[in-house]
Amino acid sequence: MAIYQMQPKKNDTEINMASCSRTQVISLYRMLMKECKKFPSYNYRTYALRRVKDGFRENIQVDNPKTLDMLINQARENLAVIKRQVSIGHLYSAQKTVVEREHHL
């Protein structure tokens, strides 16, 4: 018996669900990163970018569809929060930090 016959075959719905989830996750990750880069404050911006990267790295091995759906919904809620916070951040101007200032030599 050949090796490939011993492996369980995935049906088309599992493959489509996996690829759909993968494209959803990648799209959501890109939207989160793009929105985080809009924070006017350096500290908020770097923190948000770091949290998004760490959150996705933590859950890279998730295979359970229910858990994956929960995480995707949580990420969508976080995206909405980030969008609101970015909007609020643009309403109030703040002094730039030393890291953000351009150094003229």
Side-chain angles (χ1 to χ4, degrees), residues 4-90:
Y4 64 87
Q5 291 176 343
M6 293 172 55
Q7 296 175 348
K9 292 183 179 181
K10 291 185 178 180
N11 61 19
D12 291 338
T13 57
E14 287 179 9
I15 293 170
N16 289 337
M17 189 172 81
S19 64
C20 180
S21 295
R22 180 175 166 79
T23 56
Q24 280 181 337
V25 169
I26 291 171
S27 174
L28 194 53
Y29 177 78
R30 287 180 179 161
M31 286 190 292
L32 283 162
M33 294 298 285
K34 184 178 179 181
E35 201 62 34
C36 287
K37 290 176 183 178
K38 294 179 183 178
F39 272 112
S41 169
Y42 173 80
N43 291 327
Y44 287 126
R45 185 172 52 247
T46 55
Y47 174 76
L49 288 168
R50 186 174 59 246
R51 283 296 301 136
V52 168
K53 288 177 188 176
D54 291 346
F56 276 81
R57 280 190 199 127
E58 273 179 25
N59 299 307
I60 198 165
Q61 298 297 328
V62 174
D63 290 338
N64 186 351
K66 289 181 182 179
T67 306
L68 189 59
D69 285 340
M70 182 195 68
L71 290 170
I72 288 173
N73 289 333
Q74 185 180 12
R76 285 184 183 140
E77 291 172 7
N78 288 339
L79 178 61
V81 169
I82 290 169
K83 286 182 178 184
R84 285 193 302 270
Q85 289 302 118
V86 167
S87 297
I88 292 169
H90 285 293

